[in-house]
Amino acid sequence: MKILVTGASGQLGSEIKELSVNYTDDTFIFVDREEMALDNLTQVLSVIETIDPDLIISGGAYTAVDKAESEAELVDVINHQAVATMAQWAKQNNRKLIHISTDYVFQGISSTALKEDEPTNPINVYGLSKQKGEEAIITSGADAIIIRTAWVYSSYGANFVKTMIRLMTDREEISVIGDQVGSPTYAHDLAQVILEIAHSEKWAKGIYHFSNEGEISWYDFAVAIKELKNLACHVRPITTAEYPTAAKRPSYSLLDKTKIKQTFGVAVPEWKQSLSNMLAKI
């Protein structure tokens, strides 16, 4: 199988690259901004046509949530129009697509874990662009799997875990939001699931949710990082209102993973074990 992976140097792309060595029968082509700029739709189509993959893993995206508020047009091209281009090519050429989406497509006011058929209603520009990307895939009729995930971190790239370690090492006290609830996703676990699905005989197009098991706040996440790293910094919980940002954040975005587990038989590790695995790696 020839697999094209976008967002090669991102957290997820880097984890897929690391795991790709286990799939010796496949040919992986990893592309990033230099090889395939997602804001250049002509180039996107040209690169895909040249590579002619059996499967596209669409992991590249504009993910600077706050900056997106002032760059709506650019965000739409990358997260919506480029995705539409991939989906249309996949449909026309009878190829498969796995696209990574986000919990930010939801409004974030639920009190129970979000299922795949829950109505979407984004509260920021980034979320809206990702919603449009999902809709473009569905409209295209492509043989595609959309995986919504949340709170992604990895030993690669910049993320919450690395930021917390740096701040807790430098400071005696930090404040972390305690009223936004969800579950983090170790990108290594997500990469494994994507590759398992890609090689599964049970391929079933549609939308799926994946994050690690558990329900925590960002504050709980920070405290766990502190404890596992044995850092002395005091972590203080604050409210969302005390930490204003350009983009609104969902207050509750816990994803229900029942469908992906039942359909593909994949394992969903518990969040603290995955965090421990990542910290051991760095």
Side-chain angles (χ1 to χ4, degrees), residues 26 45 98 118 155 174 176 180-181 183 213 219 270 276:
D26 297 326
L45 185 58
I98 296 177
E118 195 86 21
S155 58
I174 62 167
V176 182
Q180 291 175 18
V181 174
S183 185
E213 293 285 21
Y219 166 75
E270 195 264 339
S276 183

Side-chain angles (χ1 to χ4, degrees), residues 114-282:
L114 294 151
K115 294 183 183 292
E116 288 80 359
D117 57 0
E118 195 86 21
T120 56
N121 188 12
I123 56 173
N124 57 41
V125 168
Y126 167 71
L128 179 62
S129 71
K130 295 295 282 185
Q131 178 194 47
K132 286 182 175 178
E134 290 186 7
E135 290 169 347
I137 292 170
I138 293 162
T139 303
S140 75
D143 191 6
I145 286 172
I146 297 166
I147 302 176
R148 294 183 185 135
T149 191
W151 300 19
V152 177
Y153 69 95
S154 166
S155 58
Y156 299 99
N159 54 65
F160 180 82
V161 178
K162 289 184 176 179
T163 299
M164 288 298 104
I165 292 169
R166 176 172 51 79
L167 291 176
M168 287 185 215
T169 303
D170 293 345
R171 301 180 187 178
E172 292 182 2
E173 179 178 296
I174 62 167
S175 301
V176 182
I177 290 172
D179 60 356
Q180 291 175 18
V181 174
S183 185
T185 305
Y186 181 24
H188 181 86
D189 296 339
L190 177 58
Q192 263 184 322
V193 164
I194 288 167
L195 291 170
E196 281 180 40
I197 290 172
H199 294 85
S200 172
E201 294 175 6
K202 305 172 191 172
W203 178 279
K205 66 187 285 188
I207 300 174
Y208 297 87
H209 287 171
F210 182 87
S211 66
N212 287 122
E213 293 285 21
E215 179 177 341
I216 59 170
S217 68
W218 289 107
Y219 166 75
D220 298 326
F221 198 16
V223 169
I225 295 163
K226 171 192 166 177
E227 290 172 351
L228 287 167
K229 288 293 289 180
N230 198 26
L231 297 166
C233 179
H234 175 64
V235 183
R236 185 173 69 92
I238 57 169
T239 64
T240 300
E242 290 176 84
Y243 188 76
T245 53
K248 287 183 181 178
R249 302 297 203 274
S251 60
Y252 187 93
S253 58
L254 183 66
L255 301 173
D256 186 306
K257 277 80 72 171
T258 305
K259 184 180 175 185
I260 201 166
K261 288 189 285 189
Q262 289 181 346
T263 305
F264 300 109
V266 296
V268 180
E270 195 264 339
W271 73 268
K272 203 163 189 179
Q273 182 58 56
S274 289
L275 173 61
S276 183
N277 291 346
M278 178 269 193
L279 292 175
K281 198 170 171 185
I282 61 170

Side-chain angles (χ1 to χ4, degrees), residues 82-126:
V83 173
T85 301
M86 292 181 220
Q88 288 157 11
W89 182 89
K91 172 64 176 174
Q92 289 163 5
N93 293 275
N94 196 28
R95 304 300 165 81
K96 290 175 176 170
L97 170 67
I98 296 177
H99 175 67
I100 307 307
S101 192
T102 173
D103 60 310
Y104 278 43
V105 298
F106 296 111
Q107 192 170 14
I109 55 172
S110 176
S111 56
T112 56
L114 294 151
K115 294 183 183 292
E116 288 80 359
D117 57 0
E118 195 86 21
T120 56
N121 188 12
I123 56 173
N124 57 41
V125 168
Y126 167 71

